[in-house]
Amino acid sequence: ETGVTQTPRHLVMGMTNKKSLKCEQHLGHNAMYWYKQSAKKPLELMFVYSLEERVENNSVPSRFSPECPNSSHLFLHLHTLQPEDSALYLCASSQLYTGGGSYNEQFFGPGTRLTVL
Amino acid sequence: GENVEQHPSTLSVQEGDSAVIKCTYSDSASNYFPWYKQELGKGPQLIIDIRSNVGEKKDQRIAVTLNKTAKHFSLHITETQPEDSAVYFCAAINSGGYQKVTFGTGTKLQVIP
């Protein structure tokens, strides 16, 4: 196990539903990330939180709303999604977000497989 | 921004043979190149990495090579085993300032017993 857990592991929702994805890290890290993984595409960075402050929002539609209540927990709130939002959503954490010349390894959770009907 | 291309997208090898996955990057400022392995039902996990001031790095059956001039790097797996079957991702990072990780599109490796 990587020390990063995600729930639920699978989620099926209709376009009008509201649901939330949860991520928890047990590594004492200060940065947390949401990625979207679609078939045959590179991992797409969605959001980054560093010390509970959002520092990256890569042009993600407003139907995805992140929340980071503390350095150990990260949520992704979903509402009025589209079928093209179906994908594997990965959470990751790292010690820090800034590099300072060295790489802060990102540890990934197992992901939530989301299907939008 | 950085662009990482990865080939092949799928690779099948017989158990015991070697497997090679290649990546190219575009940003000469990238200075760190990790490789991730993603097994079915799991998230990506770092398996080996290389810094821009090193040409080759080995860890048991896996090795990574880097050609900075040509902007390409490769993952080599020798004596492949069925448990090596997974999707492998390369990535390129500029570790100064805020880290932007650019991933390749992944290679699905199948090791046939």
Side-chain angles (χ1 to χ4, degrees):
Chain A
E1 296 302 323
T2 63
V4 181
T5 59
Q6 290 186 243
T7 55
R9 295 294 308 275
H10 300 271
L11 178 62
V12 179
M13 59 187 289
M15 289 192 287
T16 58
N17 292 156
K18 289 184 180 181
K19 296 287 184 182
S20 295
L21 310 185
K22 179 183 176 182
C23 175
E24 183 174 0
Q25 58 97 358
H26 310 273
L27 302 168
H29 288 165
N30 293 303
M32 297 188 77
Y33 311 74
W34 279 117
Y35 285 90
K36 177 182 179 182
Q37 185 175 30
S38 306
K40 299 184 179 179
K41 286 186 175 182
L43 271 68
E44 299 174 51
L45 180 64
M46 301 175 71
F47 301 104
V48 181
Y49 277 83
S50 176
L51 298 171
E52 300 154 43
E53 178 182 345
R54 191 191 309 180
V55 294
E56 287 277 350
N57 177 351
N58 283 346
S59 303
V60 180
S62 60
R63 57 185 183 268
F64 295 91
S65 175
E67 179 189 3
C68 187
N70 55 62
S71 60
S72 298
H73 294 86
L74 185 65
F75 295 89
L76 188 62
H77 304 298
L78 316 171
H79 66 97
T80 59
L81 294 191
Q82 304 298 312
E84 59 264 30
D85 297 323
S86 298
L88 182 68
Y89 288 85
L90 291 164
C91 172
S93 70
S94 66
Q95 181 62 45
L96 297 171
Y97 182 49
T98 55
S102 62
Y103 175 57
N104 287 280
E105 180 184 347
Q106 293 183 21
F107 293 79
F108 287 84
T112 295
R113 173 68 62 186
L114 174 66
T115 302
V116 181
L117 301 177
Chain B
E2 176 65 277
N3 181 50
V4 176
E5 294 189 2
Q6 183 172 348
H7 300 280
S9 57
T10 59
L11 180 60
S12 292
V13 299
Q14 293 290 330
E15 182 178 357
D17 287 350
S18 295
V20 180
I21 303 170
K22 298 182 179 182
C23 289
T24 60
Y25 63 99
S26 60
D27 188 352
S28 57
S30 291
N31 58 354
Y32 182 83
F33 306 91
W35 285 87
Y36 284 84
K37 176 183 181 182
Q38 186 174 20
E39 297 176 329
L40 197 62
K42 297 184 179 182
Q45 187 167 2
L46 181 70
I47 56 170
I48 194 168
D49 54 49
I50 192 167
R51 297 187 183 278
S52 58
N53 58 351
V54 176
E56 183 176 4
K57 183 177 179 181
K58 287 184 179 180
D59 183 2
Q60 300 182 345
R61 295 186 298 107
I62 60 173
V64 58
T65 58
L66 170 66
N67 183 326
K68 276 183 60 179
T69 304
K71 294 195 184 73
H72 65 71
F73 56 111
S74 301
L75 177 71
H76 305 253
I77 306 174
T78 59
E79 300 172 24
T80 53
Q81 300 169 4
E83 52 265 37
D84 295 329
S85 296
V87 179
Y88 292 81
F89 293 93
C90 63
I93 300 165
N94 180 349
S95 62
Y98 289 113
Q99 297 184 1
K100 289 268 187 176
V101 183
T102 304
F103 288 91
T105 49
T107 296
K108 184 175 182 180
L109 173 64
Q110 181 184 19
V111 179
I112 304 167

